[in-house]
Amino acid sequence: MIDRRGFLLGGLAAGAAVGLAACGTSGGEQGGKVTVGLTYIPNVQFSAFYLGVDRGIFADNGLDVTLRHHGEQEDVFGALLRGGEQVVFASADEAMVAAAGGNDLRTFATSYQTYPLNVIGLDGTLTLPPEPLTVLEGRTLGIPGHFGSSYYAALCAIHRSGLTEQQVTLQDIGYTALSALEAGKVDFIVGFINNELVQLQLRGGTPLALPVTSESEPSLVGPSLITRGGALEDASLKRMADAMAEAQQAVIDDPQAALEATAKQVPALSDATQREAAAKVLEATTQMWLRDGKVDVSVDEAAFARMGEFLTEAGIIEAPPEAPYISL
C-alpha cells in the first residue's frame, strides 16, 4: 500500500472517511458503476478524483463513480479483493508484491510518472560524491518499517548506489519521519517529494532530495489505478484511465478549482495558511503526473519488468507475477 501516513501533508486532512458519488449519467455498456478506493482520509493529493466527480468528467466517460476513503487500519487492497471496490488508488510496487503473493491485482493506469519517494536530508548544501546516493554509506536512513513502498525505496537507493545493506543502517521510525530527522535521530529519511520535502521547504529549510531510482529507467512504479482480475471489463478500465488523465489535466489547467473541490472534503482549507500549503503540495503532485511535459497515465511496461527484476533481486518476492498490469 501507499505509506498512508507519509502520503499526507500533516494538518490538511479531515477526520472521517467519506463517500462521494458522481452526478450525471451513469451507464455505458458495462453499467458504468465503479467504486474507487482512496487509501486514506481526504487530502489535496486526491484532487483529480474530487474534481473529476465535481465536473462530471467520470460521468462524461460513462462511469458512475463513488469515491471511498479507507479507514486508518484498513488493508489497502482488502476491499478490492473482497469485491467492495473495483479500483483502488495505490502504489504499483506494493500491488506487485501482493500479486506475487497470490493476489489477483493488476495495474491498468499509472498516475505518477515520477516515483515520489526520495532520500531526504536537512542540508541541501551538502557536497555530494559523484554517485550522490553513496552519501548513505555509514549513515542511518529512517523508514516507517521493513515493509511497503518506503522500504522498497530504501533498498532501491542502496542497490542503485552500489552499496550493500550492511553499509547503511535502516532504522524503523514509524510515521515520525520529520521529527526523527529534525531531532537528529536519523541522518536521512525516505520521504515523499510532495509531502515531507514540501513540509521542510515550508518551514524555511533548504532540504536535500535524492531520487531513489533512475527517472529515465525507473525500477519502481508509484501511485496507480489498480484493479483485480475480472472486476471490470477492459472497456470500462479504458474509460476510467481516460477519465483520470482528463481529470489530472483539468487540475493542472485550473488548480484553484482543484483546491475548491478538495476544500469540500477538507474543511481545514478554509484557513489561508493551510490552503497555501495545500497549493504547494498540489503543485509538487501535478509535476509527477507528467511524462515528456504531458499528462500520461499509460503503464510503462518496461518499468514493470525492471520492477519485477529488482524486487526479486532484493529478495522481496520470489518471482514476478505473470500479469502485474493490464495493457490498454
Side-chain angles (χ1 to χ4, degrees):
M1 63 181 176
I2 294 174
D3 290 328
R4 292 185 289 170
R5 293 178 187 265
F7 188 64
L8 303 170
L9 182 65
L12 290 181
V18 297
L20 302 172
C23 57
T25 303
S26 66
E29 68 264 28
Q30 315 304 331
K33 292 185 178 295
V34 182
T35 297
V36 178
L38 303 178
T39 49
Y40 203 54
I41 53 182
N43 183 266
V44 70
Q45 294 169 57
F46 300 133
S47 62
F49 293 96
Y50 305 144
L51 193 61
V53 167
D54 275 10
R55 287 195 172 176
I57 293 171
F58 295 113
D60 289 346
N61 280 272
L63 300 166
D64 182 1
V65 167
T66 296
L67 303 179
R68 178 182 174 271
H69 286 278
H70 288 189
E72 183 175 351
Q73 302 301 322
E74 183 174 347
D75 181 351
V76 68
F77 299 121
L80 177 63
L81 292 169
R82 290 191 301 269
E85 297 169 353
Q86 291 73 51
V87 174
V88 68
F89 183 62
S91 197
D93 50 6
E94 296 196 7
M96 178 174 277
V97 172
N103 296 295
D104 191 6
L105 297 171
R106 307 181 189 188
T107 298
F108 66 92
T110 299
S111 174
Y112 284 39
Q113 296 296 323
T114 299
Y115 193 70
L117 285 163
N118 274 208
V119 168
I120 296 174
L122 291 177
D123 186 2
T125 66
L126 183 68
T127 300
L128 295 170
E131 172 47 66
L133 286 169
T134 59
V135 75
L136 292 172
E137 184 174 3
R139 307 292 183 90
T140 300
L141 179 60
I143 54 176
H146 281 59
F147 58 85
S149 290
S150 290
Y151 178 46
Y152 310 151
L155 293 181
C156 192
I158 294 170
H159 175 88
R160 186 182 179 202
S161 70
L163 300 173
T164 67
E165 293 180 48
Q166 289 69 43
Q167 292 173 291
V168 182
T169 300
L170 292 181
Q171 184 166 322
D172 293 0
I173 55 174
Y175 297 100
T176 64
L178 290 181
S179 60
L181 181 64
E182 292 178 323
K185 295 180 180 179
V186 294
D187 299 308
F188 298 95
I189 59 171
V190 172
F192 287 84
I193 57 177
N194 58 338
N195 179 18
E196 285 85 3
L197 182 62
V198 172
Q199 290 191 61
L200 289 170
Q201 292 168 337
L202 287 171
R203 296 179 192 188
T206 54
L208 173 73
L210 303 175
V212 303
T213 186
S214 166
E215 295 183 17
S216 60
E217 295 185 346
S219 297
L220 291 171
V221 180
S224 299
L225 296 180
I226 297 158
T227 190
R228 71 181 187 281
L232 293 170
E233 295 189 13
D234 284 1
S236 293
L237 296 177
K238 179 66 165 60
R239 291 199 295 272
M240 187 71 203
D242 289 345
M244 190 66 190
E246 187 177 342
Q248 289 182 179
Q249 186 62 56
V251 170
I252 291 171
D253 291 342
D254 194 348
Q256 289 306 313
L259 290 170
E260 289 296 332
T262 301
K264 296 176 183 178
Q265 314 307 323
V266 186
L269 294 195
S270 61
D271 176 79
T273 301
Q274 294 285 353
R275 191 179 180 97
E276 181 181 358
K280 295 291 187 183
V281 171
L282 183 61
E283 181 181 4
T285 300
T286 57
Q287 290 302 306
M288 291 187 288
W289 294 344
L290 305 177
R291 181 188 293 180
D292 297 327
K294 298 179 180 179
V295 169
D296 186 347
V297 300
S298 62
V299 171
D300 183 342
E301 297 180 13
F304 270 75
R306 288 189 296 268
M307 181 163 63
E309 292 173 2
F310 164 69
L311 291 171
T312 302
E313 183 178 339
I316 302 300
I317 59 178
E318 292 184 2
E322 291 186 3
Y325 59 84
I326 297 171
S327 179
L328 299 175

mmCIF file of all heavy atoms in Angstrom, residues 191-218:
data_model
loop_
_atom_site.group_PDB
_atom_site.id
_atom_site.type_symbol
_atom_site.label_atom_id
_atom_site.label_comp_id
_atom_site.label_asym_id
_atom_site.label_seq_id
_atom_site.Cartn_x
_atom_site.Cartn_y
_atom_site.Cartn_z
ATOM 1 N N GLY A 191 11.242 9.813 2.057
ATOM 2 C CA GLY A 191 10.033 10.619 2.143
ATOM 3 C C GLY A 191 9.513 11.004 0.780
ATOM 4 O O GLY A 191 10.194 10.842 -0.241
ATOM 5 N N PHE A 192 8.300 11.522 0.772
ATOM 6 C CA PHE A 192 7.642 11.922 -0.471
ATOM 7 C C PHE A 192 8.033 13.349 -0.844
ATOM 8 O O PHE A 192 8.053 14.238 0.013
ATOM 9 C CB PHE A 192 6.122 11.837 -0.329
ATOM 10 C CG PHE A 192 5.590 10.433 -0.303
ATOM 11 C CD1 PHE A 192 5.572 9.712 0.887
ATOM 12 C CD2 PHE A 192 5.127 9.831 -1.453
ATOM 13 C CE1 PHE A 192 5.093 8.410 0.918
ATOM 14 C CE2 PHE A 192 4.640 8.535 -1.431
ATOM 15 C CZ PHE A 192 4.616 7.826 -0.246
ATOM 16 N N ILE A 193 8.308 13.560 -2.124
ATOM 17 C CA ILE A 193 8.670 14.905 -2.559
ATOM 18 C C ILE A 193 7.461 15.824 -2.601
ATOM 19 O O ILE A 193 7.621 17.045 -2.698
ATOM 20 C CB ILE A 193 9.418 14.892 -3.915
ATOM 21 C CG1 ILE A 193 8.598 14.200 -5.013
ATOM 22 C CG2 ILE A 193 10.760 14.227 -3.780
ATOM 23 C CD1 ILE A 193 9.271 14.223 -6.373
ATOM 24 N N ASN A 194 6.253 15.259 -2.514
ATOM 25 C CA ASN A 194 5.069 16.100 -2.386
ATOM 26 C C ASN A 194 4.473 16.017 -0.979
ATOM 27 O O ASN A 194 3.299 16.306 -0.773
ATOM 28 C CB ASN A 194 4.014 15.752 -3.438
ATOM 29 C CG ASN A 194 3.567 14.294 -3.374
ATOM 30 O OD1 ASN A 194 4.271 13.426 -2.864
ATOM 31 N ND2 ASN A 194 2.396 14.009 -3.924
ATOM 32 N N ASN A 195 5.305 15.647 -0.026
ATOM 33 C CA ASN A 195 4.870 15.679 1.372
ATOM 34 C C ASN A 195 6.019 16.160 2.265
ATOM 35 O O ASN A 195 6.152 17.347 2.528
ATOM 36 C CB ASN A 195 4.370 14.298 1.821
ATOM 37 C CG ASN A 195 3.925 14.301 3.285
ATOM 38 O OD1 ASN A 195 3.665 15.349 3.866
ATOM 39 N ND2 ASN A 195 3.882 13.133 3.890
ATOM 40 N N GLU A 196 6.893 15.238 2.700
ATOM 41 C CA GLU A 196 7.961 15.635 3.620
ATOM 42 C C GLU A 196 8.845 16.736 3.048
ATOM 43 O O GLU A 196 9.216 17.675 3.757
ATOM 44 C CB GLU A 196 8.812 14.423 4.003
ATOM 45 C CG GLU A 196 8.154 13.485 4.992
ATOM 46 C CD GLU A 196 7.242 12.465 4.357
ATOM 47 O OE1 GLU A 196 7.147 12.435 3.098
ATOM 48 O OE2 GLU A 196 6.613 11.701 5.102
ATOM 49 N N LEU A 197 9.194 16.630 1.774
ATOM 50 C CA LEU A 197 10.042 17.660 1.164
ATOM 51 C C LEU A 197 9.339 19.012 1.170
ATOM 52 O O LEU A 197 9.946 20.045 1.500
ATOM 53 C CB LEU A 197 10.429 17.261 -0.259
ATOM 54 C CG LEU A 197 11.350 18.243 -0.994
ATOM 55 C CD1 LEU A 197 12.683 18.382 -0.278
ATOM 56 C CD2 LEU A 197 11.560 17.799 -2.447
ATOM 57 N N VAL A 198 8.063 19.024 0.830
ATOM 58 C CA VAL A 198 7.294 20.273 0.833
ATOM 59 C C VAL A 198 7.218 20.847 2.244
ATOM 60 O O VAL A 198 7.381 22.060 2.449
ATOM 61 C CB VAL A 198 5.885 20.046 0.260
ATOM 62 C CG1 VAL A 198 5.015 21.293 0.452
ATOM 63 C CG2 VAL A 198 5.955 19.691 -1.223
ATOM 64 N N GLN A 199 6.986 19.984 3.223
ATOM 65 C CA GLN A 199 6.893 20.476 4.594
ATOM 66 C C GLN A 199 8.201 21.125 5.050
ATOM 67 O O GLN A 199 8.190 22.187 5.689
ATOM 68 C CB GLN A 199 6.537 19.322 5.533
ATOM 69 C CG GLN A 199 5.124 18.805 5.357
ATOM 70 C CD GLN A 199 4.741 17.854 6.477
ATOM 71 O OE1 GLN A 199 4.735 18.242 7.639
ATOM 72 N NE2 GLN A 199 4.436 16.623 6.135
ATOM 73 N N LEU A 200 9.318 20.508 4.715
ATOM 74 C CA LEU A 200 10.609 21.089 5.090
ATOM 75 C C LEU A 200 10.829 22.437 4.399
ATOM 76 O O LEU A 200 11.353 23.381 4.998
ATOM 77 C CB LEU A 200 11.739 20.117 4.747
ATOM 78 C CG LEU A 200 11.813 18.868 5.622
ATOM 79 C CD1 LEU A 200 12.815 17.874 5.041
ATOM 80 C CD2 LEU A 200 12.193 19.213 7.053
ATOM 81 N N GLN A 201 10.425 22.522 3.145
ATOM 82 C CA GLN A 201 10.563 23.787 2.420
ATOM 83 C C GLN A 201 9.667 24.865 3.024
ATOM 84 O O GLN A 201 10.068 26.028 3.139
ATOM 85 C CB GLN A 201 10.238 23.566 0.946
ATOM 86 C CG GLN A 201 11.260 22.715 0.212
ATOM 87 C CD GLN A 201 10.787 22.256 -1.145
ATOM 88 O OE1 GLN A 201 9.578 22.195 -1.423
ATOM 89 N NE2 GLN A 201 11.718 21.914 -2.021
ATOM 90 N N LEU A 202 8.456 24.487 3.426
ATOM 91 C CA LEU A 202 7.540 25.450 4.028
ATOM 92 C C LEU A 202 8.058 25.966 5.362
ATOM 93 O O LEU A 202 7.704 27.069 5.791
ATOM 94 C CB LEU A 202 6.157 24.809 4.210
ATOM 95 C CG LEU A 202 5.337 24.607 2.939
ATOM 96 C CD1 LEU A 202 4.101 23.767 3.231
ATOM 97 C CD2 LEU A 202 4.927 25.951 2.331
ATOM 98 N N ARG A 203 8.898 25.184 6.009
ATOM 99 C CA ARG A 203 9.479 25.609 7.280
ATOM 100 C C ARG A 203 10.706 26.489 7.078
ATOM 101 O O ARG A 203 11.389 26.849 8.043
ATOM 102 C CB ARG A 203 9.841 24.381 8.116
ATOM 103 C CG ARG A 203 8.634 23.554 8.519
ATOM 104 C CD ARG A 203 9.034 22.332 9.338
ATOM 105 N NE ARG A 203 7.913 21.412 9.469
ATOM 106 C CZ ARG A 203 7.909 20.334 10.242
ATOM 107 N NH1 ARG A 203 8.963 20.063 10.985
ATOM 108 N NH2 ARG A 203 6.851 19.549 10.300
ATOM 109 N N GLY A 204 11.002 26.792 5.826
ATOM 110 C CA GLY A 204 12.101 27.697 5.533
ATOM 111 C C GLY A 204 13.436 27.031 5.342
ATOM 112 O O GLY A 204 14.463 27.708 5.225
ATOM 113 N N GLY A 205 13.457 25.717 5.288
ATOM 114 C CA GLY A 205 14.705 25.000 5.114
ATOM 115 C C GLY A 205 15.108 24.862 3.662
ATOM 116 O O GLY A 205 14.378 25.216 2.739
ATOM 117 N N THR A 206 16.329 24.344 3.465
ATOM 118 C CA THR A 206 16.826 24.023 2.126
ATOM 119 C C THR A 206 17.217 22.549 2.135
ATOM 120 O O THR A 206 18.402 22.204 2.192
ATOM 121 C CB THR A 206 18.033 24.898 1.749
ATOM 122 O OG1 THR A 206 19.047 24.771 2.781
ATOM 123 C CG2 THR A 206 17.631 26.347 1.613
ATOM 124 N N PRO A 207 16.214 21.681 2.101
ATOM 125 C CA PRO A 207 16.488 20.253 2.231
ATOM 126 C C PRO A 207 17.142 19.659 0.993
ATOM 127 O O PRO A 207 17.115 20.233 -0.095
ATOM 128 C CB PRO A 207 15.098 19.647 2.462
ATOM 129 C CG PRO A 207 14.161 20.621 1.807
ATOM 130 C CD PRO A 207 14.764 21.963 2.005
ATOM 131 N N LEU A 208 17.716 18.493 1.200
ATOM 132 C CA LEU A 208 18.328 17.711 0.136
ATOM 133 C C LEU A 208 17.359 16.613 -0.262
ATOM 134 O O LEU A 208 16.755 15.963 0.596
ATOM 135 C CB LEU A 208 19.633 17.085 0.652
ATOM 136 C CG LEU A 208 20.340 16.086 -0.260
ATOM 137 C CD1 LEU A 208 20.985 16.813 -1.427
ATOM 138 C CD2 LEU A 208 21.387 15.311 0.536
ATOM 139 N N ALA A 209 17.184 16.385 -1.551
ATOM 140 C CA ALA A 209 16.311 15.312 -2.034
ATOM 141 C C ALA A 209 17.023 14.562 -3.151
ATOM 142 O O ALA A 209 17.427 15.159 -4.150
ATOM 143 C CB ALA A 209 14.982 15.879 -2.538
ATOM 144 N N LEU A 210 17.176 13.257 -2.968
ATOM 145 C CA LEU A 210 17.874 12.413 -3.931
ATOM 146 C C LEU A 210 16.936 11.326 -4.427
ATOM 147 O O LEU A 210 16.443 10.516 -3.629
ATOM 148 C CB LEU A 210 19.102 11.764 -3.286
ATOM 149 C CG LEU A 210 20.150 12.707 -2.680
ATOM 150 C CD1 LEU A 210 21.235 11.906 -1.974
ATOM 151 C CD2 LEU A 210 20.745 13.598 -3.760
ATOM 152 N N PRO A 211 16.655 11.272 -5.726
ATOM 153 C CA PRO A 211 15.797 10.201 -6.256
ATOM 154 C C PRO A 211 16.378 8.834 -5.945
ATOM 155 O O PRO A 211 17.594 8.625 -6.041
ATOM 156 C CB PRO A 211 15.779 10.478 -7.764
ATOM 157 C CG PRO A 211 16.121 11.929 -7.892
ATOM 158 C CD PRO A 211 17.081 12.218 -6.774
ATOM 159 N N VAL A 212 15.517 7.896 -5.597
ATOM 160 C CA VAL A 212 15.991 6.557 -5.257
ATOM 161 C C VAL A 212 16.151 5.678 -6.493
ATOM 162 O O VAL A 212 16.804 4.629 -6.434
ATOM 163 C CB VAL A 212 15.041 5.856 -4.261
ATOM 164 C CG1 VAL A 212 14.885 6.682 -3.001
ATOM 165 C CG2 VAL A 212 13.679 5.571 -4.891
ATOM 166 N N THR A 213 15.547 6.097 -7.593
ATOM 167 C CA THR A 213 15.603 5.303 -8.806
ATOM 168 C C THR A 213 15.818 6.221 -10.003
ATOM 169 O O THR A 213 15.559 7.421 -9.922
ATOM 170 C CB THR A 213 14.313 4.472 -8.985
ATOM 171 O OG1 THR A 213 14.445 3.581 -10.106
ATOM 172 C CG2 THR A 213 13.087 5.364 -9.190
ATOM 173 N N SER A 214 16.295 5.669 -11.078
ATOM 174 C CA SER A 214 16.522 6.449 -12.288
ATOM 175 C C SER A 214 15.203 7.026 -12.786
ATOM 176 O O SER A 214 14.193 6.324 -12.854
ATOM 177 C CB SER A 214 17.138 5.554 -13.364
ATOM 178 O OG SER A 214 17.081 6.174 -14.632
ATOM 179 N N GLU A 215 15.204 8.300 -13.129
ATOM 180 C CA GLU A 215 13.991 8.916 -13.645
ATOM 181 C C GLU A 215 13.692 8.455 -15.069
ATOM 182 O O GLU A 215 12.528 8.370 -15.467
ATOM 183 C CB GLU A 215 14.109 10.437 -13.581
ATOM 184 C CG GLU A 215 14.187 10.965 -12.147
ATOM 185 C CD GLU A 215 14.223 12.475 -12.074
ATOM 186 O OE1 GLU A 215 13.865 13.127 -13.076
ATOM 187 O OE2 GLU A 215 14.604 13.018 -11.014
ATOM 188 N N SER A 216 14.713 8.146 -15.839
ATOM 189 C CA SER A 216 14.505 7.719 -17.225
ATOM 190 C C SER A 216 14.228 6.219 -17.335
ATOM 191 O O SER A 216 13.512 5.782 -18.235
ATOM 192 C CB SER A 216 15.726 8.078 -18.078
ATOM 193 O OG SER A 216 16.896 7.450 -17.577
ATOM 194 N N GLU A 217 14.792 5.435 -16.397
ATOM 195 C CA GLU A 217 14.578 3.992 -16.404
ATOM 196 C C GLU A 217 14.268 3.522 -14.983
ATOM 197 O O GLU A 217 15.071 2.857 -14.337
ATOM 198 C CB GLU A 217 15.806 3.263 -16.961
ATOM 199 C CG GLU A 217 16.082 3.563 -18.425
ATOM 200 C CD GLU A 217 17.228 2.737 -18.983
ATOM 201 O OE1 GLU A 217 17.975 2.131 -18.177
ATOM 202 O OE2 GLU A 217 17.356 2.667 -20.215
ATOM 203 N N PRO A 218 13.081 3.874 -14.474
ATOM 204 C CA PRO A 218 12.758 3.573 -13.081
ATOM 205 C C PRO A 218 12.644 2.077 -12.807
ATOM 206 O O PRO A 218 12.219 1.305 -13.669
ATOM 207 C CB PRO A 218 11.417 4.278 -12.870
ATOM 208 C CG PRO A 218 10.820 4.368 -14.241
ATOM 209 C CD PRO A 218 11.975 4.577 -15.164
#
